């Protein structure tokens, strides 16, 4: 039995068909590859699933990070990690963008898509002519990846496609940015017919891109202009600047025309506020903007002395955001109060990136050039991090993301490596709602009580 199809067997893969390229064969090999990997990395897999740092129970106010897998490939070694994004559909899948922050060391770019299940090599790889600087998976269509490059171009890849070319690309002909694209965000809007994403660049433009049938088209959302200049010296834009307001007013006409370089952005996560976004600039200002107004900022926050590398809205409290800068500081702002930040944290080195925890309104993490990851829980300590841990040797940390589902952080460095870290229990405390309570409301109240204390202490100062 079973031999019915045998006489035709030799014809089933003539000269041109290699059994190794058969989709079923490829799938089987992938599964075997993952099994082999899980056996090789079995101890790490067990740590990922079950490790809890027992010492946390004896040291309230402190926590630790356990390094798990490292992700790097031969191609990525000579490049810097410039972007990391988790896939919205698969909690183990993430994309990493590689390029270079250094003007004189530009080379081709690389995108690797990894799974936590297979640390030894990426699932998919795409190469780009220019260094990759930003990427973002579509929140609903997890196969679509928007990418921004150092040469100002933007493109969209279909990760499932067998083609290694982008399905959409903005070129000089269709219009692109003139300078590096630092961040890119898909826009999810029920009313829209076509898919859209937003990009921000050093050329001072925030652009909205629409995927039409045949090409990418763009419209300008905002042209960034330099805000009032800082008063350098004692106090920066703090109280000391108030006395010097009149001379600044006179200088205004000459300074407003100058274009500001956009360096980062983030969209508000509050329901009904999806059109509100923040922009960080190379001049140190943070601006709150709306997609509805392209001519002016809703408000401006002056507090940083150097370029702002990241701005992030809180996941729970929709007025609160963080900014991180090359001036060694992370600042926490209430968008309803422009004057000065509610809290400020000095991290002793340039801060490359920040991220709020998806599970707690008071937990955030930051990475610095000295290779350290700093994790704060403001509910436990309003001044100092619960953990400041050096996780790479002789490398600068550039990017950081929390996993939406697992207690995992990913950090990227300037040597092309991404390290996964597990947060100990003290670093991931979240409210425990009782009957009739909502987690979101508890988390907002928790952060609000921290801010109340911070505001009172500011007044006393």
């Amino acid at each position: 039995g079973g031999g019915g199809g045998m006489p035709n067997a030799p014809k089933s893969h003539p000269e041109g068909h290699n059994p190794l390229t058969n989709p079923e064969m490829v799938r089987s090999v992938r599964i075997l590859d993952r099994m082999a990997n899980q056996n090789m990395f079995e101890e790490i897999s067990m740590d990922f699933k079950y490790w809890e740092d027992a010492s946390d129970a004896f040291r309230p106010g402190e926590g630790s990070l356990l390094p798990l897998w490292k992700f790097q490939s031969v191609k990525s070694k000579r490049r810097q990690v410039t972007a990391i994004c988790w896939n919205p559909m698969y909690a183990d899948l993430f994309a990493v963008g590689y390029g270079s922050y250094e003007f004189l060391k530009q080379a081709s770019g690389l995108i690797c898509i990894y799974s936590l299940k297979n640390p030894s090599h990426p699932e998919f790889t795409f190469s780009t002519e220019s260094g990759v600087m930003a990427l973002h998976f579509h929140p609903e269509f997890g196969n679509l990846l928007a990418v921004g490059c150092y040469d100002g171009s933007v493109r969209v890849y279909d990760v499932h496609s067998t083609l290694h070319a982008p399905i959409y690309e903005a070129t000089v002909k269709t219009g692109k940015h003139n300078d590096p694209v630092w961040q890119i965000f898909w826009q999810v809007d029920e009313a829209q017919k076509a898919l859209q994403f937003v990009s921000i660049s050093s050329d001072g433009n925030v652009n909205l891109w629409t995927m039409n049938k045949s090409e990418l088209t763009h419209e300008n959302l905002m042209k960034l202009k330099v805000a009032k200049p800082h008063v350098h010296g004692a106090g920066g834009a703090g109280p000391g600047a108030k006395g010097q307001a009149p001379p600044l007013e006179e200088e205004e006409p000459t300074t407003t025309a100058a274009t500001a370089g956009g360096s980062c952005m983030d969209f508000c996560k509050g329901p009904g506020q999806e059109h509100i976004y923040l922009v960080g600039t190379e001049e140190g200002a943070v601006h709150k903007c709306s997609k509805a107004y392209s001519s002016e900022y809703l408000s401006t926050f002056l507090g940083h002395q150097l370029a702002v590398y990241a701005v992030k809205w809180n996941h729970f409290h929709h007025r609160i955001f963080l900014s991180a800068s090359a001036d060694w500081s992370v600042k926490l702002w209430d968008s309803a109060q422009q004057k000065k930040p509610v809290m400020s944290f000095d991290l002793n080195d340039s801060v490359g990136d920040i991220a709020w925890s998806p599970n707690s309104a008071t937990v955030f993490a930051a990475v610095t050039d000295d290779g350290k990851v700093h994790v704060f829980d403001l509910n436990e300590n309003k001044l100092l991090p619960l953990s400041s841990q050096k996780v790479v040797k002789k490398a600068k940390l550039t990017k950081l993301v929390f996993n939406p589902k697992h207690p995992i952080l990913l950090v990227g460095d300037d040597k092309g490596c991404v390290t996964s870290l597990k947060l100990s229990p003290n670093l991931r405390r979240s409210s425990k709602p009782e009957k009739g309570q909502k987690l979101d409301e508890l988390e907002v109240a928790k952060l609000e009580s921290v801010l109340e204390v911070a505001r009172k202490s500011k007044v006393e100062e």
Side-chain angles (χ1 to χ4, degrees), residues 122 183-184 207 228 233 239 250 253 332 347 357 411 432 456 461:
Q183 238 166 339
I184 205 160
N207 284 351
K228 282 184 195 176
E250 290 161 28
L332 185 150
L347 298 184
S357 161
V411 295
K432 297 193 169 38
K456 277 182 184 153
E461 280 172 25

Side-chain angles (χ1 to χ4, degrees), residues 87 138 215 225 228 287 348 386:
N87 187 285
H138 195 287
E215 62 177 12
K225 295 279 181 269
K228 282 184 195 176
H287 305 290
N348 286 329
L386 303 198

Side-chain angles (χ1 to χ4, degrees), residues 139-389:
E140 289 169 14
F141 308 105
N143 58 313
L144 293 180
L145 184 67
V147 177
C149 294
Y150 196 88
D151 64 0
S153 63
V154 294
R155 52 191 62 196
V156 178
Y157 286 90
D158 180 351
V159 176
H160 290 171
S161 157
T162 48
L163 296 166
H164 283 280
I167 54 171
Y168 285 91
E169 186 172 8
T171 58
V172 175
K173 192 173 77 147
T174 56
K176 67 174 186 63
H177 287 288
N178 299 326
D179 285 311
V181 174
W182 296 117
Q183 238 166 339
I184 205 160
F185 279 99
W186 286 102
Q187 298 297 289
V188 179
D189 181 2
E190 279 65 52
Q192 73 195 28
K193 304 284 184 285
L195 296 175
Q196 297 183 316
F197 59 90
V198 168
S199 61
I200 184 169
S201 162
S202 301
D203 66 8
N205 288 313
V206 178
N207 284 351
L208 175 68
W209 301 85
T210 305
M211 286 165 57
N212 296 315
K213 282 199 174 77
S214 57
E215 62 177 12
L216 271 181
T217 56
H218 75 278
E219 57 184 286
N220 186 262
L221 281 185
M222 177 67 80
K223 278 191 168 29
L224 302 173
K225 295 279 181 269
V226 172
K228 282 184 195 176
H230 267 49
V231 182
H232 289 289
K242 285 183 188 165
Q244 289 132 318
L248 292 185
E249 297 294 327
E250 290 161 28
E251 292 170 34
E252 186 122 352
T254 55
T255 54
T256 44
T259 300
S263 51
C264 53
M265 69 187 304
D266 195 22
F267 278 85
C268 190
K269 295 163 180 68
Q273 297 181 53
E274 296 86 354
H275 60 292
I276 300 290
Y277 62 97
L278 292 169
V279 165
T281 65
E282 291 167 4
E283 289 73 26
V286 176
H287 305 290
K288 183 177 158 190
C289 311
S290 164
K291 283 168 71 179
Y293 305 105
S294 61
S295 56
E296 55 189 288
Y297 305 132
L298 299 181
S299 42
T300 293
F301 306 87
L302 298 175
H304 289 294
Q305 308 298 325
L306 294 170
V308 176
Y309 288 148
V311 282
K312 297 283 164 76
W313 287 104
N314 191 287
H315 293 280
F316 299 92
H317 197 313
H318 303 307
R319 284 202 334 261
I320 303 302
F321 67 89
L322 285 172
S323 59
S325 166
D327 68 7
W328 298 11
S329 72
V330 171
K331 295 185 190 294
L332 185 150
W333 305 81
D334 179 339
S335 62
Q337 298 174 318
Q338 274 176 257
K339 293 250 167 68
K340 51 186 175 180
V342 184
M343 303 172 91
S344 195
F345 312 91
D346 184 354
L347 298 184
N348 286 329
D349 212 331
S350 182
V351 187
D353 201 8
I354 37 171
W356 286 104
S357 161
N359 313 309
S360 168
T362 55
V363 173
F364 69 89
V367 291
T368 44
D369 278 7
D370 53 6
K372 284 183 181 172
V373 180
H374 311 263
V375 185
F376 288 79
D377 184 346
L378 302 177
N379 197 40
E380 296 289 323
N381 192 328
K382 295 173 190 61
L383 304 171
L384 300 168
L386 303 198
S387 164
S388 273
Q389 204 167 313

